[in-house]
Amino acid sequence: MADKNKKNDDFCINVYSPGNFIAREITFSGTVNIGAGSTESGGYSDEQIARAITAINGEKKPLNSKRKWAAVHWALRWYCNFPTGAREFCDRVKELPLGKLEYGCDYTNIRHFSTLSFMDQDARQMDKVKPSKQDQDFFLQCREVVLALVTELGKAVLPTMTI
């Protein structure tokens, strides 16, 4: 049994929430999937990302204006390996199975906001981000959207049950 463990046979690690994962002195001979089994979007499928966005989009929800899509851009580029450029991000969002949203993603509405200096800082380390005084209000709005989106992404990878 000890030999089997050293070779990592039948060894499985499941990571169900966004964040850092560190593995030391462990080698895997096969494919390692973290999250939902897809590595193209940081472990999240397009359907899971779309469900998370849909859950926070609308009146009286965190994503309640078109300009706040800049916050979604900020989060998805760090959490899900989405494009860093605003135009490319919007093109990628069009590929998601979102359906009809109350507030859609539009390049003309986020291009200015996506270039704010704090957007270049890692959204996964929100507490270390230092926005300028003039960007403070929008940063707080973005922070709300990012935290809501990350929460929904965490829910998206949980097993679903039908009753």
Side-chain angles (χ1 to χ4, degrees), residues 1 3 9 37 44-46 50-52 67 74 79 97-98 111 114 116 132-133 147-148 154 159:
M1 189 67 157
D3 242 5
D9 292 340
Y44 300 101
S45 69
D46 283 357
R51 274 197 309 264
R67 74 185 193 138
W74 186 32
Y79 283 97
L98 288 168
R111 67 179 179 197
S114 290
L116 296 176
S132 66
K133 257 196 192 311
L147 294 175

Side-chain angles (χ1 to χ4, degrees), residues 30-119:
T31 303
V32 177
N33 293 318
I34 297 175
S38 168
T39 56
E40 291 180 22
S41 296
Y44 300 101
S45 69
D46 283 357
E47 291 77 19
Q48 291 169 327
I49 294 169
R51 274 197 309 264
I53 291 170
T54 302
I56 65 166
N57 187 289
E59 196 65 36
K60 297 186 182 186
K61 293 185 180 180
L63 185 54
N64 59 5
S65 74
K66 289 184 178 184
R67 74 185 193 138
K68 287 186 180 180
W69 269 93
V72 176
H73 177 211
W74 186 32
L76 292 182
R77 76 183 265 202
W78 292 101
Y79 283 97
C80 300
N81 301 320
F82 268 52
T84 57
R87 185 178 306 277
E88 294 82 9
F89 168 77
C90 291
D91 290 342
R92 175 70 176 91
V93 166
K94 289 177 187 173
E95 297 172 7
L96 296 175
L98 288 168
K100 181 80 170 129
L101 294 174
E102 193 169 340
Y103 300 97
C105 182
D106 184 4
Y107 169 71
T108 58
N109 291 318
I110 70 166
R111 67 179 179 197
H112 168 70
F113 298 104
S114 290
T115 61
L116 296 176
S117 62
F118 71 85
M119 293 285 183

